[in-house]
Amino acid sequence: MICLILAAGYATRLYPLTKDFPKPLLSVQGKSVLDWLVDDVETIPGIERYVIVSNHTFFHFFSSWKEKKHFSHPVDVLDDGSTCNENRVGAVKDILFAIDQLSLSSDLLVLAGDNVLEFSLGSFVAYFRKKNASCILRHYQGDVTRLRRTGVAVVDDADLVLSMEEKPQSPKSNWAVPPFYCFKGSDLQNLPLAISSGCGTDAPGSFISWACSHFPIYAMLMPGKRYDIGNLESYEVVQKEYRGIIS
């Protein structure tokens, strides 16, 4: 399995902190967001390689980070060529970009590089291996306003995803879906078809929306809390509350 980290956004809601600096490298409790994610993934058996997709503007920051950090596995930092928020490639196309650039065919653990978790992703990878199918994470969200800003899934009693919608105005459930996915390599071969069929390409969950009607996808209930660093207020909260992985 390869860990693919999406880090090509411009985080305009975090200006001025991220006007000239990438959000995944912001410090949380003395470590960057990216370090919190990678240090956890380092503990998961079967991870063979890291791939980090950056934009062109911040590429040098991630290249420098790579040179300073010790890894147990090879690391590739890719430049998707975008230079500003207005010409960003989008998360779904960035996944395809990484697959094409490196001729990837393995299963992928795909992570957004701007979240920190209070639980290890090892449990998610174990769930994926047990299901032997592509998987997502889900958590209960009772606030409709927040549901309108995230992916929302409809899930049956066996965890099978029946439908998924990004940022719905009328959410069909309370199951919010954060940007953490385990994909079968064989399922990712459908990415070009999904995009040509009209699948959205900006939000990473758009591929899930298309895919769940074409092959099985299961949704694991999150075993702990996740912090999404979306704006200055949420960054202040994570700075005060986050204590690392506790489960």
Side-chain angles (χ1 to χ4, degrees), residues 74-86:
V75 181
D76 296 284
V77 178
L78 303 181
D79 176 355
D80 76 0
S82 74
T83 56
C84 63
N85 192 57
E86 288 68 32

Side-chain angles (χ1 to χ4, degrees), residues 31-50:
K31 289 170 61 171
S32 73
V33 175
L34 189 55
D35 280 314
W36 282 113
L37 290 172
V38 170
D39 288 351
D40 175 41
V41 176
E42 284 273 275
T43 70
I44 302 175
I47 299 296
E48 306 165 358
R49 181 180 188 180
Y50 296 100

Side-chain angles (χ1 to χ4, degrees), residues 3-242:
C3 178
L4 171 61
I5 300 177
L6 301 172
Y10 290 89
T12 56
R13 290 186 295 153
L14 270 165
Y15 280 12
L17 290 179
T18 53
K19 185 171 178 58
D20 300 300
F21 192 77
K23 177 163 61 167
L25 294 181
L26 289 176
S27 178
V28 173
Q29 302 294 351
K31 289 170 61 171
S32 73
V33 175
L34 189 55
D35 280 314
W36 282 113
L37 290 172
V38 170
D39 288 351
D40 175 41
V41 176
E42 284 273 275
T43 70
I44 302 175
I47 299 296
E48 306 165 358
R49 181 180 188 180
Y50 296 100
V51 178
I52 298 165
V53 181
S54 168
N55 57 54
H56 181 71
T57 301
F58 294 147
F59 177 74
H60 66 285
F61 286 107
F62 293 103
S63 297
S64 177
W65 170 84
K66 171 188 170 180
E67 295 305 316
K68 295 175 182 177
K69 188 173 178 64
H70 173 75
F71 300 91
S72 300
H73 313 291
V75 181
D76 296 284
V77 178
L78 303 181
D79 176 355
D80 76 0
S82 74
T83 56
C84 63
N85 192 57
E86 288 68 32
N87 66 14
R88 66 188 183 276
V89 173
V92 174
K93 284 188 176 180
D94 271 339
I95 296 172
L96 181 59
F97 169 72
I99 291 171
D100 288 346
Q101 286 292 301
L102 301 173
S103 300
L104 304 179
S105 59
S106 301
D107 298 339
L108 294 186
L109 170 63
V110 178
L111 313 176
D114 57 359
N115 291 242
V116 289
L117 305 171
E118 287 188 346
F119 60 93
S120 174
L121 288 162
S123 60
F124 182 41
V125 174
Y127 177 90
F128 162 75
R129 288 170 176 157
K130 181 178 179 180
K131 289 294 187 182
N132 193 30
S134 293
C135 297
I136 62 177
L137 286 169
R138 60 184 164 111
H139 65 91
Y140 183 85
Q141 176 55 259
D143 187 333
V144 173
T145 300
R146 292 188 177 185
L147 287 170
R148 288 172 178 161
R149 298 198 299 262
T150 188
V152 177
V154 177
V155 180
D156 72 10
D157 292 340
D159 291 351
L160 183 69
V161 178
L162 303 179
S163 66
M164 160 86 176
E165 189 175 1
E166 279 286 349
K167 301 180 180 179
Q169 283 304 299
S170 300
K172 296 178 181 178
S173 84
N174 293 100
W175 291 123
V177 178
F180 296 88
Y181 318 108
C182 282
F183 287 118
K184 296 288 291 182
S186 55
D187 290 344
L188 288 167
Q189 294 177 9
N190 292 286
L191 261 175
L193 173 62
I195 292 170
S196 66
S197 299
C199 169
T201 57
D202 193 32
S206 297
F207 179 57
I208 305 296
S209 301
W210 180 90
C212 65
S213 63
H214 292 79
F215 45 82
I217 295 179
Y218 291 90
M220 174 183 164
L221 185 62
M222 281 171 47
K225 190 173 180 179
R226 158 230 180 192
Y227 291 86
D228 173 22
I229 304 170
N231 54 32
L232 291 170
E233 181 181 4
S234 61
Y235 183 50
E236 291 176 4
V237 169
V238 74
Q239 289 280 59
K240 294 176 182 178
E241 297 184 3
Y242 189 61

